[in-house]
């Protein structure tokens, strides 16, 4: 039986592309490229720190990735501008259907389980107005690992007493789908761009824009682990999916 | 005192871009895009498998990444063509200066320490003719982890009795530089494209080609760990670097 709906934050409830307004204002014409490389390196650095056994919090990871990005592109930001850009991760725009989806979930516990640091998550959730719609915000920080390390997902049982099989985990991030599946969660993947739409974009652009390359790397079902149990194209479809799961006869395990 | 020169394989001794002839012959016009996405996902999947505690060997990782790449691009390969493309990782072209550099290293032990599976490494090294120039080929497989997990680098001491401070580790891969530094190796980074040359490419292409995006993501010094002790622009500069290190007075530790 499902007792809790657990959300990834960055890319799932909050749109990481929403930093592009600020990155483009800071460096006109470079906004999308900065946005994509920054996010790709942010993810990579979280995995590398975790693998090296050298955890630093996601705020440091976010800053390291921004430093790499600006340096690689040959762009110079003074400390004030650098901080202003980095801080956009604490004011990401929630996806437009996030609030309504959370409101329509009925009596389930709602939680975030994120790689973000406690401060980052408090800031972005508070800024979005989603805070009153969530029962818990769980940061990997207390475990000093990053998803998809299984210990990160163990937070849900540790802190809310909800076992993996009692949760529906919701993420748009393929690595997170694999990680959550690997520890026994039921998982809904948000597939915001269909394989066909992505292929059309790739075929119509020569060469593809950085934003399309980003989608090619990050928006499709990964093949390094089990696929999600369900796919939805936006958070708006989540309440119906949750109702369908509730009506499902108990599965033989 | 340096006793051994230890090389990364993929991207350092062997050119991962050399698969592009086969990928482009299989899917004309898509060769470079396949090559870049395939390599990016291959690295990502190695880290994700390691982080999830679900090690599979690098041959499976390589195949999973190729499956993702072709699927994302909407390209279909039958089993024979798929295998033919995947097998190119076992016949990668060595960089043109690799053999001469290995020959010019004097009396140091020379080893590969790679994420590749034992079979993959035996194949690619044998095919290249570098096998007679190497004293040892160390695969992470026996540890069931991937670089940059510290246990992977421990292979050198386990198998050759060479302590980290007695080795010069040579890699073009930024994550590998950080990983090797984090366990105490002296590290030389091969910087095959300078920051200036990369910026010029990025500025002259709008949007940048997938090959340039790849370089922007993978060819520069990472900012998630300590930088290399030395940078060289190609393997041809390695013998002189090694001689300079040998002449260096012992460092206070």
């Amino acid at each position: 039986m499902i007792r809790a709906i657990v959300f990834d934050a960055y890319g799932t409830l909050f749109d990481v592309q929403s930093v592009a307004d600020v990155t483009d204002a800071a460096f006109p014409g470079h906004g999308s490229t900065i946005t994509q490389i920054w996010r790709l390196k942010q993810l990579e650095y979280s995995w590398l720190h975790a693998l090296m056994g050298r955890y630093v919090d996601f705020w440091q990871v976010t800053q390291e990735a921004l430093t790499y990005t600006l340096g690689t592109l040959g762009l110079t930001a003074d400390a004030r501008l650098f901080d202003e850009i980095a801080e956009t991760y604490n004011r990401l725009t929630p996806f437009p259907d996030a609030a309504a989806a959370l409101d329509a979930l009925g009596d389930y516990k709602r939680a975030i389980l994120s790689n973000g640091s406690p401060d980052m998550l408090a800031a972005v959730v508070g800024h979005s107005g989603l805070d009153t719609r969530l029962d818990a915000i769980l940061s990997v920080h207390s475990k000093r690992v990053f998803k998809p390390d299984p210990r990160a997902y163990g937070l849900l049982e540790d802190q809310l007493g909800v076992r993996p099989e009692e949760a529906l985990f919701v993420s748009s991030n393929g690595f997170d789908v694999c990680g959550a599946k690997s520890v026994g969660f039921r998982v809904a993947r948000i597939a915001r761009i269909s394989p066909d739409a992505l292929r059309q974009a790739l075929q119509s652009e020569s060469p593809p824009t950085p934003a399309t390359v980003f989608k090619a790397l990050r928006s499709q079902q990964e093949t390094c682990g089990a696929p999600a149990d369900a796919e939805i194209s936006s958070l708006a479809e989540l309440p119906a999916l949750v109702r369908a799961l509730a009506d499902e006869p108990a599965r033989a395990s």
Side-chain angles (χ1 to χ4, degrees), chain A:
Chain A
M1 197 188 71
I2 301 278
R3 292 173 53 209
I5 318 295
V6 185
F7 295 86
D8 169 53
Y10 302 108
T12 297
L13 290 177
F14 302 101
D15 185 359
V16 295
Q17 297 293 322
S18 64
V19 307
D21 287 348
V22 169
T23 55
D24 204 63
F27 299 104
H30 295 283
S32 179
T33 304
I34 295 169
T35 301
Q36 315 314 330
I37 295 181
W38 185 14
R39 173 63 174 162
L40 290 169
K41 297 305 282 192
Q42 182 195 46
L43 289 168
E44 177 185 337
Y45 285 1
S46 69
W47 302 327
L48 295 180
H49 276 292
L51 262 182
M52 291 191 287
R54 298 198 165 228
Y55 175 86
V56 297
D57 76 19
F58 203 62
W59 182 237
Q60 181 170 332
V61 169
T62 299
Q63 292 178 298
E64 288 174 352
L66 181 58
T67 298
Y68 177 95
T69 302
L70 297 180
T72 293
L73 298 176
L75 303 171
T76 307
D78 61 20
R80 190 199 53 76
L81 181 58
F82 184 93
D83 290 347
E84 184 188 321
I85 299 172
E87 282 284 345
T88 56
Y89 259 86
N90 297 329
R91 295 191 310 274
L92 293 174
T93 307
F95 284 100
D97 42 13
L102 288 168
D103 285 343
L105 285 179
D107 291 334
Y108 297 96
K109 266 199 207 319
R110 303 151 173 78
I112 281 176
L113 195 165
S114 167
N115 277 342
S117 70
D119 285 352
M120 290 178 79
L121 292 172
V124 75
V125 172
H127 183 265
S128 69
L130 296 187
D131 46 347
T132 58
R133 297 173 163 92
L134 290 160
D135 299 300
I137 300 175
L138 307 178
S139 163
V140 299
H141 186 65
S142 61
K143 302 272 191 171
R144 299 183 69 82
V145 293
F146 288 113
K147 296 189 286 184
D149 186 305
R151 290 170 289 181
Y153 299 101
L155 277 168
L156 187 69
E157 187 160 1
D158 292 355
Q159 299 208 5
L160 299 187
V162 175
R163 296 194 309 272
E165 64 271 24
E166 297 175 317
L168 177 69
F169 195 88
V170 182
S171 184
S172 71
N173 285 299
F175 73 91
D176 203 16
V177 169
C178 295
K181 281 297 295 178
S182 81
V183 298
F185 283 109
R186 209 160 330 174
V187 179
R189 185 172 87 87
I190 305 185
R192 288 208 172 81
I193 180 165
S194 71
D196 280 349
L198 176 59
R199 287 166 203 162
Q200 268 189 326
L202 285 163
Q203 278 161 15
S204 66
E205 301 169 4
S206 182
T209 64
T212 300
V213 172
F214 180 88
K215 288 175 190 158
L217 290 168
R218 301 250 52 88
S219 72
Q220 302 297 291
Q221 173 68 52
E222 305 294 357
T223 56
C224 63
D229 299 284
E231 280 193 6
I232 52 180
S233 65
S234 79
L235 289 166
E237 296 172 30
L238 185 63
L241 174 67
V242 169
R243 284 192 297 274
L245 289 173
D247 293 341
E248 208 175 70
R251 296 188 298 183
S253 64

